[in-house]
Every structure is written in structure tokens, then in C-alpha cells.
Amino acid sequence: MDRLSLGTLGQHLQRLRQEQGLSLSQLAAAAGIAKSNLSRLEQGNGNPTLDTIWRLAVQLNVPFGTLVAPIAVPLGEDGVQVRLIDQGKDRPQVDVYWMRCAPHTSRHAEAHTPGAQETLTLISGTLEAGSEDATRVLRAGDTLAFAADRPHLYRTHEDWATLLVTIVYAEGDAP
């Protein structure tokens, strides 16, 4: 992540944490990260993983997009790139992401906020996806919807996979 993006993320984290009256220690412990790592992130330093950003969003009870907007560069690690396309302002909160997964990649995503629903539309490639106990193989043009408030999986095989991810947050869980 570039310095501007890290600075943006840090500002969003600090503002949201303070608005909710949480200390660095409280948020770090709830998200399962070291206090020193959270402090570095708030200062615009470090190299957060996608999982770390998701855990912080869940603990702050905000959509992932709230932390990463307006970061325009894809965020990525371990063969997965994600970029926020748009974040709705209505209720329910709806976020749309572009996602690209390298061949032979497995991404285990942690549960999002309670009641969150995810819809995937595969643009190219082949992708196995869904809740960890009920995945489905998608091909270009296929769409899959599932409850995202429990762990879920994205797995590619021989080819790259490009998809649109839409997350609809439960009415009471989005800002």
C-alpha cells in the first residue's frame, strides 16, 4: 500500500476509534492485533493485511469500504487484489468491489458484520466460492449470493478469476 493510502486508512481508523470512545488497547485486543501495530496503522505506517483491515472494520462495526475509501489502488496479498468501486450512502449500506484472484489461490475470509449478505458475479475465469461449508463453482457470467456473516472461501484453479463483489450490510450495522 502506498503512503497516501496508508495515511488515509490511518486517519479513518483513528477517527472511527475515537468517535466510538475506544482506546488503542481496546480496539487492538478486540481485533486480535498488537496495540503497536494498530498505533503504526493510525500513524500511516505498517503494511496491513486484508484480514487485518476486515477485522478492524468488523470491530468498529463499519463496512470495509469505510476504512479504505477513497483509496484508489487495489489492496492485495497472497494472490488476491481488492479495490472499492463504490460505497452507497443509502440504507441498507451497499459496497461494490472489484476483485482479482491469481491461479491456485485460496482465500479464507472472516465473517463480516452480522446480517451481511455477499453477491459475487464472475467476470472471467473459474472460481469456487461461498460459505466454507457450501461452496459452488462459478464460471464467467455466474452469480452467487450467500450470508457473509460467517467465514467464507474464494478458491481459483488453473486460471485467474476476476469478479464483482457486492456486500449489503444489515440495516442496523452500517453507519
Side-chain angles (χ1 to χ4, degrees):
M1 191 181 297
D2 63 28
R3 303 252 338 121
L4 179 60
S5 299
L6 278 169
T8 299
L9 175 65
Q11 290 170 1
H12 289 238
L13 279 171
Q14 186 175 53
R15 178 183 53 80
L16 289 164
R17 178 182 59 76
Q18 290 173 344
E19 284 175 358
Q20 294 182 25
L22 297 171
S23 69
L24 277 169
S25 297
Q26 289 170 317
L27 180 56
I33 64 173
K35 177 182 171 183
S36 59
N37 288 344
L38 178 56
S39 178
R40 278 195 298 277
L41 287 177
E42 285 191 1
Q43 295 168 16
N45 297 312
N47 189 22
T49 64
L50 292 173
D51 286 335
T52 296
I53 298 170
W54 272 112
R55 283 195 307 271
L56 288 165
V58 167
Q59 292 308 312
L60 291 166
N61 199 30
V62 298
F64 179 84
T66 298
L67 291 182
V68 301
I71 298 170
V73 296
L75 304 173
E77 66 191 17
D78 301 328
V80 176
Q81 293 181 324
V82 177
R83 182 173 47 90
L84 177 67
I85 295 173
D86 200 4
Q87 184 173 43
K89 303 298 179 215
D90 297 324
R91 299 255 185 213
Q93 174 81 40
V94 179
D95 290 355
V96 179
Y97 301 88
W98 167 91
M99 185 175 184
R100 184 156 164 101
C101 303
H104 307 288
T105 297
S106 285
R107 169 131 179 89
H108 294 270
E110 295 182 23
H112 303 331
T113 54
Q117 293 287 314
E118 191 164 316
T119 302
L120 312 177
T121 301
L122 195 64
I123 298 168
S124 65
T126 303
L127 179 75
E128 179 182 351
S131 61
E132 288 189 342
D133 59 347
T135 61
R136 191 175 117 208
V137 175
L138 305 174
R139 300 197 186 335
D142 288 347
T143 297
L144 173 66
F146 56 91
D149 58 359
R150 57 185 189 207
H152 45 286
L153 169 74
Y154 311 92
R155 180 180 297 133
T156 59
H157 299 279
E158 302 297 319
D159 301 315
W160 283 86
T162 302
L163 56 149
L164 290 177
V165 178
T166 303
I167 302 174
V168 179
Y169 293 91
E171 291 270 352
D173 292 332

